[in-house]
Amino acid sequence: MDKVIGQSFKENGYYTPISILTAEEAAKTLQNFNLYKDTVGTNGKIIGDFRFQGHLLMRWVWDLIRHPKIVSVVKETLGTENILCWGTDFNIKPGKSQGYFTWHQDATYCGLTPISKMLTAWIAITPSTTESGCLCFLPKTHSKQLDHIEKQQEHNMLSLGQEIADQNFIEKRLSTQVYAELVPGQMSLHHSYMVHASGPNKTETPRIGLAIRYLAAEVRKEPRFPSMERVTLISGIKQHDFFEYEHAPVEDFSDDAFQEHKLSIERKKENYFLGKSIKSFK
């Protein structure tokens, strides 16, 4: 099955759905997420830095990014045993909320090379449906980097408000769009050049997912970026010293875990917002 997923991913730029967790495991994951929200959230919401790198603060996230089913698919798709996690981020749309993600490519600001050796695994923690604002892909749009423009719009959940500059490119392909509906515990994969978006949550239930950014260990940061970023070794061996390596949280929400989290986040922000007036994540 992993080979089928890898081949389809190569052709279309995405694959969905892939079942990872049982219903019981998915329910426990939601409980764990709610504990995370209650601990680091602000007024019941997870915003800013705490949306990112949750695997450095709670062991369940650290363990989830190493789930054998996920890692097996990622190794087959990226064509290597040597896998890194570049980052994790919670994607949360409260019930009846207006937040959305414009059409964009993940590769636009990551500064990593080669992009062909990077992908995102998106795991549903609550139902992700068309009505609740699931991911939407434009198949076969993963061949190259497209120009983006930045627009600051109130409900756009992308920190820089980026979107594909050529709207004709989008409009010509809307008839082919695929809605990646997932039940809790399922995941989708998408290429970092894959053009994707998601709409607002029109349902009463929060739409919660965890995006995991996986790299083949050969991937490097472009030299124009000032900070040495930090990654987590998932499987295999390190292949170079262009990254520092993160450490597992021995105890959830410990002082050491918060320090580990802060260090990784500050390095990422310095590079991601290089030359931008905006300096923080939404």
Side-chain angles (χ1 to χ4, degrees):
M1 184 61 186
D2 290 355
K3 291 185 181 296
V4 172
I5 292 171
Q7 185 60 36
S8 181
F9 179 93
K10 182 178 180 180
E11 293 175 3
N12 297 304
Y14 73 94
Y15 191 90
T16 189
I18 305 168
S19 294
I20 300 298
L21 304 177
T22 65
E24 293 77 14
E25 290 169 335
K28 180 62 176 176
T29 298
L30 178 57
Q31 291 179 9
N32 289 333
F33 169 82
N34 286 331
L35 175 59
Y36 184 80
K37 180 185 67 174
D38 292 343
T39 304
V40 302
T42 301
N43 297 323
K45 297 180 180 180
I46 300 176
I47 58 174
D49 292 353
F50 289 117
R51 278 190 52 228
F52 299 85
Q53 308 303 93
H55 64 285
L56 301 179
L57 292 173
M58 288 192 77
R59 186 73 195 204
W60 70 268
V61 190
W62 181 273
D63 291 341
L64 183 56
I65 68 177
R66 285 174 163 67
H67 193 289
K69 289 183 181 178
I70 301 175
V71 175
S72 178
V73 171
V74 170
K75 288 194 294 187
E76 177 65 34
T77 304
L78 292 180
T80 179
E81 292 291 316
N82 305 316
I83 301 295
L84 308 175
C85 173
W86 181 58
T88 56
D89 52 286
F90 288 109
N91 288 260
I92 307 151
K93 295 176 181 174
K96 297 293 184 181
S97 61
Q98 296 176 280
Y100 61 88
F101 290 82
T102 40
W103 291 106
H104 69 285
Q105 295 168 303
D106 293 340
T108 307
Y109 300 105
C110 71
L112 297 167
T113 186
I115 292 298
S116 61
K117 292 296 183 176
M118 177 180 180
L119 61 77
T120 294
W122 201 99
I123 304 174
I125 298 176
T126 60
S128 187
T129 65
T130 303
E131 283 294 302
S132 68
C134 67
L135 285 177
C136 183
F137 302 127
L138 296 183
K140 304 182 187 297
T141 57
H142 61 296
S143 62
K144 63 180 181 179
Q145 179 65 54
L146 302 173
D147 290 335
H148 285 59
I149 56 175
E150 296 171 9
K151 294 181 180 180
Q152 284 305 308
Q153 298 168 315
E154 180 182 0
H155 298 297
N156 190 347
M157 297 176 69
L158 292 168
S159 296
L160 293 172
Q162 65 266 31
E163 63 179 274
I164 302 293
D166 185 357
Q167 287 301 301
N168 285 332
F169 178 92
I170 302 299
E171 290 170 7
K172 289 177 181 177
R173 292 163 175 80
L174 283 178
S175 62
T176 69
Q177 64 186 307
V178 173
Y179 292 95
E181 294 193 314
L182 302 171
V183 301
Q186 287 185 326
M187 80 172 184
S188 62
L189 296 179
H190 66 267
H191 192 287
S192 290
Y193 280 152
M194 167 53 55
V195 176
H196 62 290
S198 65
N201 184 359
K202 300 175 183 178
T203 73
E204 299 286 348
T205 303
R207 192 223 66 170
I208 304 166
L210 177 68
I212 310 171
R213 319 293 179 174
Y214 289 108
L215 315 175
E218 68 196 66
V219 172
R220 304 182 181 196
K221 196 74 178 179
E222 295 173 5
R224 62 189 174 92
F225 290 95
S227 286
M228 179 179 282
E229 293 188 13
R230 308 179 79 231
V231 297
T232 292
L233 180 65
I234 299 297
S235 69
I237 60 172
K238 306 171 186 177
Q239 291 188 235
H240 56 69
D241 294 319
F242 286 89
F243 297 116
E244 288 184 6
Y245 289 84
E246 297 165 329
H247 305 288
V250 176
E251 180 183 350
D252 291 352
F253 306 120
S254 67
D255 289 343
D256 287 345
F258 277 111
Q259 283 298 115
E260 188 81 5
H261 178 266
K262 181 179 180 181
L263 181 58
S264 287
I265 287 290
E266 292 302 319
R267 300 270 185 93
K268 273 188 168 44
K269 287 198 295 188
E270 186 173 358
N271 289 339
Y272 189 83
F273 296 111
L274 182 65
K276 307 293 183 181
S277 59
I278 295 169
K279 299 297 182 184
S280 60
F281 294 119
K282 288 186 176 181

